[in-house]
Coordinates of all heavy atoms in Angstrom, one line a residue:
M985 N 110.9 86.4 166.0 CA 111.9 87.4 166.0 C 111.3 88.7 165.8 O 110.4 88.9 164.9 CB 112.9 87.0 164.8 CG 114.1 87.9 164.7 SD 115.3 87.3 163.5 CE 114.7 88.2 162.1
T986 N 111.7 89.7 166.6 CA 111.1 91.0 166.5 C 112.1 92.0 165.9 O 111.6 93.0 165.4 CB 110.7 91.5 167.9 OG1 111.9 91.4 168.8 CG2 109.6 90.7 168.5
S987 N 113.4 91.7 166.0 CA 114.3 92.7 165.3 C 115.7 92.0 165.0 O 116.0 91.0 165.7 CB 114.5 93.9 166.2 OG 115.3 93.6 167.3
L988 N 116.4 92.6 164.1 CA 117.7 92.1 163.7 C 118.6 93.3 163.5 O 118.3 94.2 162.7 CB 117.7 91.3 162.4 CG 119.0 90.9 161.8 CD1 119.8 90.0 162.8 CD2 118.7 90.1 160.5
K989 N 119.6 93.5 164.3 CA 120.5 94.6 164.2 C 121.9 94.1 164.3 O 122.4 93.6 165.3 CB 120.2 95.6 165.4 CG 121.0 96.9 165.4 CD 120.6 97.7 166.5 CE 121.4 99.0 166.6 NZ 121.1 99.8 167.7
G990 N 122.6 94.2 163.2 CA 124.0 93.6 163.1 C 123.9 92.1 163.3 O 123.2 91.4 162.6
D991 N 124.6 91.6 164.3 CA 124.5 90.2 164.6 C 123.6 89.9 165.8 O 123.6 88.8 166.3 CB 125.9 89.6 164.8 CG 126.5 90.0 166.1 OD1 126.1 91.1 166.7 OD2 127.5 89.4 166.6
E992 N 122.8 90.9 166.2 CA 121.9 90.8 167.4 C 120.5 90.5 166.9 O 119.9 91.3 166.2 CB 122.0 92.1 168.2 CG 121.3 92.1 169.4 CD 121.5 93.4 170.2 OE1 122.5 93.5 170.9 OE2 120.7 94.3 170.0
V993 N 119.9 89.4 167.4 CA 118.6 89.0 167.1 C 117.8 89.1 168.4 O 118.2 88.7 169.5 CB 118.6 87.5 166.6 CG1 117.2 87.1 166.3 CG2 119.5 87.4 165.4
S994 N 116.6 89.8 168.3 CA 115.7 89.9 169.5 C 114.4 89.2 169.3 O 113.9 89.1 168.2 CB 115.4 91.4 169.7 OG 116.6 92.1 170.0
F995 N 113.9 88.6 170.4 CA 112.7 87.9 170.4 C 111.8 88.4 171.5 O 112.3 88.7 172.6 CB 113.0 86.4 170.7 CG 113.9 85.7 169.7 CD1 115.3 85.8 169.9 CD2 113.4 85.1 168.6 CE1 116.1 85.2 169.0 CE2 114.2 84.4 167.7 CZ 115.6 84.5 167.9
D996 N 110.5 88.3 171.3 CA 109.5 88.5 172.4 C 108.8 87.2 172.5 O 108.4 86.6 171.6 CB 108.5 89.6 172.0 CG 109.1 91.0 172.2 OD1 110.1 91.1 172.8 OD2 108.4 91.9 171.6
V997 N 108.6 86.7 173.8 CA 107.9 85.5 174.1 C 106.8 85.7 175.0 O 107.0 86.3 176.1 CB 108.9 84.5 174.7 CG1 108.3 83.2 175.0 CG2 110.1 84.3 173.8
V998 N 105.6 85.3 174.7 CA 104.5 85.4 175.6 C 104.6 84.2 176.6 O 104.7 83.1 176.2 CB 103.1 85.3 174.8 CG1 102.0 85.3 175.8 CG2 103.0 86.5 173.9
L999 N 104.5 84.6 177.9 CA 104.6 83.6 178.9 C 103.2 83.0 179.2 O 102.2 83.6 179.0 CB 105.2 84.2 180.1 CG 106.6 84.8 179.9 CD1 107.1 85.5 181.2 CD2 107.6 83.8 179.4
A1000 N 103.2 81.8 179.8 CA 102.0 81.1 180.1 C 101.2 81.9 181.1 O 101.7 82.5 182.0 CB 102.3 79.7 180.7
A1001 N 99.9 82.0 180.9 CA 99.0 82.8 181.7 C 98.9 82.2 183.2 O 98.6 82.9 184.1 CB 97.6 82.8 181.1
S1002 N 99.3 81.0 183.3 CA 99.3 80.3 184.6 C 100.3 80.9 185.6 O 100.3 80.7 186.8 CB 99.5 78.8 184.5 OG 100.9 78.6 184.0
G1003 N 101.3 81.7 185.0 CA 102.4 82.2 185.8 C 103.6 81.3 185.9 O 104.6 81.7 186.4
S1004 N 103.5 80.1 185.4 CA 104.6 79.1 185.4 C 105.2 79.1 184.0 O 104.5 78.9 183.0 CB 104.0 77.8 185.7 OG 105.0 76.8 185.7
F1005 N 106.5 79.4 184.0 CA 107.2 79.4 182.7 C 108.6 79.1 182.9 O 109.1 79.1 184.0 CB 107.0 80.7 182.0 CG 107.7 81.9 182.8 CD1 109.0 82.2 182.6 CD2 106.9 82.6 183.7 CE1 109.6 83.2 183.3 CE2 107.5 83.6 184.5 CZ 108.8 83.9 184.3
D1006 N 109.3 78.8 181.8 CA 110.8 78.6 181.8 C 111.3 79.1 180.5 O 110.7 78.9 179.5 CB 111.2 77.2 182.1 CG 110.9 76.2 181.0 OD1 109.9 76.4 180.3 OD2 111.6 75.3 180.8
F1007 N 112.5 79.8 180.6 CA 113.2 80.1 179.4 C 114.6 80.4 179.8 O 114.9 80.7 180.9 CB 112.6 81.4 178.7 CG 112.8 82.7 179.4 CD1 113.8 83.5 179.0 CD2 112.0 83.1 180.4 CE1 114.0 84.7 179.6 CE2 112.1 84.3 181.1 CZ 113.1 85.1 180.6
N1008 N 115.5 80.2 178.8 CA 116.9 80.5 179.1 C 117.7 80.6 177.8 O 117.1 80.4 176.7 CB 117.6 79.4 180.0 CG 117.7 78.1 179.3 OD1 117.4 77.9 178.2 ND2 118.2 77.1 180.0
C1009 N 118.9 81.0 177.9 CA 119.8 81.2 176.7 C 121.2 80.6 177.1 O 121.7 81.0 178.1 CB 119.9 82.7 176.4 SG 120.9 83.1 175.0
E1010 N 121.7 79.8 176.2 CA 123.0 79.1 176.4 C 123.8 79.4 175.2 O 123.3 79.6 174.1 CB 122.8 77.6 176.6 CG 121.9 77.2 177.7 CD 121.6 75.8 177.7 OE1 121.8 75.1 176.7 OE2 121.1 75.3 178.7
G1011 N 125.2 79.3 175.4 CA 126.1 79.4 174.2 C 126.4 80.8 173.7 O 127.1 80.9 172.7
D1012 N 125.9 81.8 174.4 CA 126.1 83.2 174.0 C 126.4 84.0 175.3 O 125.4 84.4 176.0 CB 124.9 83.7 173.2 CG 125.0 85.2 172.9 OD1 126.1 85.8 173.1 OD2 124.0 85.7 172.4
P1013 N 127.6 84.4 175.6 CA 127.9 85.2 176.8 C 127.3 86.6 176.7 O 127.1 87.2 177.8 CB 129.4 85.2 176.8 CG 129.9 84.9 175.5 CD 128.8 84.0 174.8
R1014 N 126.9 87.0 175.6 CA 126.3 88.4 175.4 C 124.8 88.3 175.5 O 124.1 89.3 175.4 CB 126.7 89.1 174.1 CG 128.2 89.3 174.1 CD 128.6 90.1 172.8 NE 128.3 89.2 171.6 CZ 128.2 89.7 170.4 NH1 128.2 91.0 170.2 NH2 128.0 88.9 169.4
C1015 N 124.2 87.1 175.6 CA 122.7 87.0 175.6 C 122.1 87.7 176.8 O 122.7 87.7 177.9 CB 122.4 85.5 175.7 SG 120.7 85.1 175.4
Q1016 N 121.0 88.4 176.6 CA 120.3 89.1 177.6 C 118.8 88.6 177.6 O 118.2 88.4 176.6 CB 120.3 90.6 177.3 CG 121.6 91.2 177.3 CD 121.6 92.6 176.8 OE1 120.6 93.2 176.6 NE2 122.8 93.2 176.7
T1017 N 118.3 88.4 178.9 CA 116.9 88.0 179.0 C 116.3 88.9 180.0 O 116.9 89.4 181.0 CB 116.8 86.5 179.5 OG1 117.5 86.4 180.8 CG2 117.4 85.5 178.5
M1018 N 115.0 89.1 179.9 CA 114.2 90.0 180.8 C 112.8 89.5 180.8 O 112.2 89.2 179.8 CB 114.3 91.4 180.2 CG 113.5 92.4 181.1 SD 113.7 94.1 180.5 CE 112.9 94.0 178.9
V1019 N 112.2 89.5 182.0 CA 110.8 89.2 182.1 C 110.0 90.5 182.4 O 110.4 91.3 183.3 CB 110.6 88.2 183.3 CG1 109.1 88.0 183.5 CG2 111.3 86.9 183.0
V1020 N 108.9 90.7 181.7 CA 108.1 91.8 181.9 C 106.8 91.3 182.5 O 106.1 90.4 182.0 CB 107.8 92.5 180.6 CG1 106.8 93.7 180.8 CG2 109.0 93.0 179.9
G1021 N 106.5 91.7 183.7 CA 105.3 91.2 184.5 C 104.0 91.4 183.8 O 103.9 92.3 182.9
P1022 N 103.1 90.6 184.1 CA 101.8 90.6 183.4 C 101.0 91.8 183.9 O 101.1 92.3 185.0 CB 101.1 89.3 183.8 CG 101.7 89.0 185.1 CD 103.1 89.5 185.1
A1023 N 100.2 92.3 183.0 CA 99.2 93.3 183.3 C 97.9 92.6 183.7 O 97.8 91.4 183.5 CB 98.9 94.2 182.1
Y1024 N 97.0 93.2 184.4 CA 95.8 92.6 184.9 C 95.1 91.9 183.7 O 94.8 92.6 182.7 CB 94.9 93.6 185.6 CG 93.6 93.0 186.1 CD1 93.6 92.2 187.2 CD2 92.4 93.1 185.4 CE1 92.5 91.6 187.7 CE2 91.3 92.5 185.8 CZ 91.3 91.8 187.0 OH 90.2 91.2 187.4
G1025 N 94.8 90.6 183.8 CA 94.1 89.9 182.8 C 94.9 89.5 181.6 O 94.3 89.0 180.7
S1026 N 96.2 89.7 181.6 CA 97.0 89.2 180.4 C 98.3 88.6 180.9 O 98.7 88.9 182.0 CB 97.3 90.4 179.5 OG 98.1 91.3 180.2
P1027 N 98.9 87.7 180.1 CA 100.1 87.1 180.5 C 101.3 88.0 180.5 O 101.2 89.0 179.8 CB 100.2 85.9 179.5 CG 99.5 86.4 178.3 CD 98.4 87.3 178.8
G1028 N 102.3 87.6 181.1 CA 103.6 88.4 181.1 C 104.3 88.0 179.8 O 103.8 87.2 179.0
S1029 N 105.5 88.6 179.6 CA 106.3 88.3 178.4 C 107.7 88.3 178.8 O 108.1 88.9 179.8 CB 106.0 89.4 177.3 OG 106.4 90.6 177.7
A1030 N 108.5 87.7 177.9 CA 110.0 87.7 178.1 C 110.6 88.3 176.8 O 110.0 88.2 175.7 CB 110.5 86.3 178.2
K1031 N 111.7 89.0 177.0 CA 112.4 89.6 175.9 C 113.8 88.9 175.9 O 114.4 88.9 177.0 CB 112.5 91.1 176.0 CG 111.1 91.8 176.0 CD 111.2 93.2 175.9 CE 109.9 93.9 175.9 NZ 109.1 93.6 174.7
I1032 N 114.2 88.5 174.8 CA 115.5 87.8 174.7 C 116.3 88.4 173.5 O 115.8 88.6 172.5 CB 115.4 86.3 174.4 CG1 114.5 85.6 175.5 CG2 116.7 85.6 174.3 CD1 114.1 84.2 175.2
T1033 N 117.6 88.8 173.8 CA 118.5 89.3 172.8 C 119.6 88.3 172.7 O 120.3 88.1 173.7 CB 118.9 90.7 173.1 OG1 117.8 91.6 173.3 CG2 119.9 91.3 172.1
A1034 N 119.9 87.8 171.5 CA 120.9 86.8 171.3 C 121.7 87.0 170.1 O 121.4 87.9 169.2 CB 120.2 85.4 171.2
H1035 N 122.8 86.3 170.0 CA 123.8 86.4 168.9 C 124.1 85.0 168.3 O 123.7 84.0 168.9 CB 125.1 87.0 169.4 CG 124.8 88.4 170.1 ND1 124.4 88.4 171.4 CD2 124.8 89.6 169.7 CE1 124.2 89.7 171.8 NE2 124.5 90.4 170.7
P1036 N 124.7 84.9 167.2 CA 125.1 83.6 166.6 C 125.7 82.7 167.6 O 126.6 83.1 168.4 CB 126.0 83.9 165.5 CG 125.6 85.3 165.0 CD 125.2 86.0 166.3
G1037 N 125.3 81.4 167.6 CA 125.7 80.4 168.6 C 124.8 80.2 169.8 O 124.9 79.3 170.5
A1038 N 123.9 81.2 169.9 CA 122.9 81.1 171.1 C 121.9 80.0 170.8 O 121.5 79.7 169.7 CB 122.2 82.4 171.3
R1039 N 121.5 79.3 171.9 CA 120.5 78.3 171.9 C 119.4 78.8 173.0 O 119.7 78.8 174.2 CB 121.1 77.0 172.3 CG 120.1 75.8 172.3 CD 120.8 74.5 172.5 NE 119.9 73.5 172.9 CZ 119.5 72.5 172.1 NH1 119.9 72.5 170.9 NH2 118.7 71.6 172.6
L1040 N 118.3 79.2 172.5 CA 117.2 79.7 173.4 C 116.2 78.6 173.6 O 115.8 77.9 172.7 CB 116.5 80.9 172.7 CG 117.4 81.9 172.0 CD1 116.6 82.9 171.2 CD2 118.2 82.7 173.1
K1041 N 115.7 78.6 174.8 CA 114.6 77.6 175.2 C 113.5 78.4 175.8 O 113.7 79.1 176.8 CB 115.1 76.6 176.1 CG 116.2 75.7 175.5 CD 116.7 74.7 176.6 CE 117.9 73.9 176.1 NZ 118.5 73.1 177.1
A1042 N 112.3 78.3 175.2 CA 111.2 79.1 175.8 C 109.9 78.4 175.4 O 109.7 78.0 174.2 CB 111.2 80.5 175.3
N1043 N 109.0 78.2 176.3 CA 107.7 77.7 176.1 C 107.7 76.4 175.3 O 106.9 76.1 174.4 CB 106.8 78.7 175.3 CG 106.4 79.8 176.2 OD1 106.5 79.8 177.4 ND2 105.9 80.9 175.6
G1044 N 108.6 75.5 175.6 CA 108.7 74.2 174.9 C 109.3 74.2 173.5 O 109.3 73.2 172.8
V1045 N 109.9 75.3 173.1 CA 110.5 75.4 171.8 C 112.0 75.8 172.0 O 112.4 76.6 172.8 CB 109.8 76.5 170.9 CG1 110.5 76.7 169.6 CG2 108.4 76.2 170.7
V1046 N 112.9 75.2 171.1 CA 114.3 75.5 171.1 C 114.6 76.3 169.8 O 114.2 75.8 168.8 CB 115.1 74.2 171.2 CG1 116.6 74.6 171.1 CG2 114.8 73.5 172.5
V1047 N 115.2 77.4 170.0 CA 115.6 78.2 168.8 C 117.1 78.4 168.9 O 117.7 78.9 169.9 CB 115.0 79.6 168.8 CG1 115.5 80.4 167.6 CG2 113.5 79.5 168.8
T1048 N 117.8 78.0 167.8 CA 119.2 78.1 167.7 C 119.5 79.2 166.7 O 119.0 79.2 165.6 CB 119.9 76.8 167.2 OG1 119.6 75.8 168.2 CG2 121.4 77.0 167.2
V1049 N 120.3 80.2 167.1 CA 120.7 81.3 166.2 C 122.0 80.8 165.5 O 123.1 80.8 166.0 CB 121.0 82.6 166.9 CG1 121.4 83.7 166.0 CG2 119.8 83.0 167.8
V1050 N 121.8 80.4 164.2 CA 122.9 79.8 163.4 C 123.8 81.0 162.9 O 125.0 80.9 163.0 CB 122.3 79.0 162.3 CG1 123.5 78.4 161.4 CG2 121.5 77.8 162.8
A1051 N 123.1 82.0 162.3 CA 123.9 83.1 161.8 C 123.0 84.3 161.8 O 121.8 84.2 161.7 CB 124.3 82.8 160.4
A1052 N 123.6 85.5 161.9 CA 122.9 86.8 161.8 C 123.9 87.8 161.3 O 124.9 88.1 161.9 CB 122.3 87.2 163.1
S1053 N 123.5 88.5 160.1 CA 124.4 89.4 159.6 C 123.7 90.1 158.4 O 123.0 89.5 157.7 CB 125.7 88.8 159.1 OG 126.5 89.6 158.3
R1054 N 124.0 91.4 158.1 CA 123.5 92.1 156.9 C 122.1 91.9 156.7 O 121.6 91.7 155.6 CB 124.3 91.6 155.7 CG 125.8 91.9 155.8 CD 126.5 91.5 154.6 NE 128.0 91.7 154.8 CZ 128.9 91.0 154.1 NH1 128.5 90.1 153.2 NH2 130.1 91.2 154.4
G1055 N 121.3 92.0 157.7 CA 119.8 92.0 157.6 C 119.2 90.6 157.4 O 118.0 90.5 157.1
T1056 N 120.0 89.5 157.6 CA 119.5 88.2 157.4 C 119.9 87.4 158.6 O 121.0 87.4 159.1 CB 120.1 87.5 156.1 OG1 119.8 88.3 155.0 CG2 119.6 86.1 155.9
A1057 N 118.9 86.6 159.1 CA 119.2 85.6 160.2 C 118.8 84.2 159.8 O 117.8 84.0 159.1 CB 118.4 86.0 161.4
V1058 N 119.6 83.3 160.2 CA 119.3 81.9 160.0 C 119.0 81.3 161.4 O 119.9 81.3 162.3 CB 120.5 81.1 159.3 CG1 120.2 79.6 159.2 CG2 120.8 81.7 158.0
L1059 N 117.8 80.8 161.6 CA 117.4 80.3 162.9 C 116.9 78.8 162.7 O 116.3 78.5 161.6 CB 116.2 81.1 163.4 CG 116.4 82.6 163.5 CD1 115.1 83.2 163.9 CD2 117.5 82.9 164.5
R1060 N 117.2 78.0 163.6 CA 116.7 76.6 163.7 C 115.7 76.5 164.8 O 116.0 76.8 165.9 CB 117.8 75.6 163.9 CG 118.5 75.3 162.6 CD 119.3 74.0 162.8 NE 120.3 73.9 161.7 CZ 121.6 74.0 161.8 NH1 122.1 74.2 163.0 NH2 122.3 74.0 160.8
M1061 N 114.5 76.0 164.5 CA 113.5 75.8 165.6 C 113.1 74.3 165.7 O 113.0 73.6 164.7 CB 112.2 76.6 165.3 CG 112.5 78.1 165.2 SD 111.0 79.0 164.8 CE 110.0 78.8 166.2
S1062 N 113.0 73.9 166.9 CA 112.6 72.5 167.2 C 111.8 72.4 168.5 O 112.0 73.2 169.4 CB 113.8 71.6 167.2 OG 114.7 71.9 168.2
P1063 N 111.0 71.4 168.6 CA 110.4 71.2 169.9 C 111.4 70.8 171.0 O 112.4 70.1 170.6 CB 109.3 70.1 169.7 CG 109.8 69.4 168.5 CD 110.6 70.3 167.7
R1064 N 111.2 71.1 172.2 CA 112.1 70.7 173.3 C 112.1 69.2 173.5 O 111.2 68.5 173.4 CB 111.7 71.4 174.6 CG 112.8 71.4 175.6 CD 112.4 72.1 176.8 NE 112.3 73.5 176.6 CZ 112.5 74.4 177.5 NH1 112.8 74.0 178.7 NH2 112.3 75.7 177.3

């Protein structure tokens, strides 16, 4: 998690150097995802902004945003 603003939680995810990756966000109609291309010699990254109820999948990990409010977030992480 890189930031928490109101009920909005942001994540940065480093993508596989091979160029093959998958990530998505379910359960949150306000969820935003963005891929930032790699610089020479380094992997790309993904930026995800989610809200309570979101289920994020990236790099083999599932993160569920259980709650986010007043500077506190409750996240559940599990392997895919």
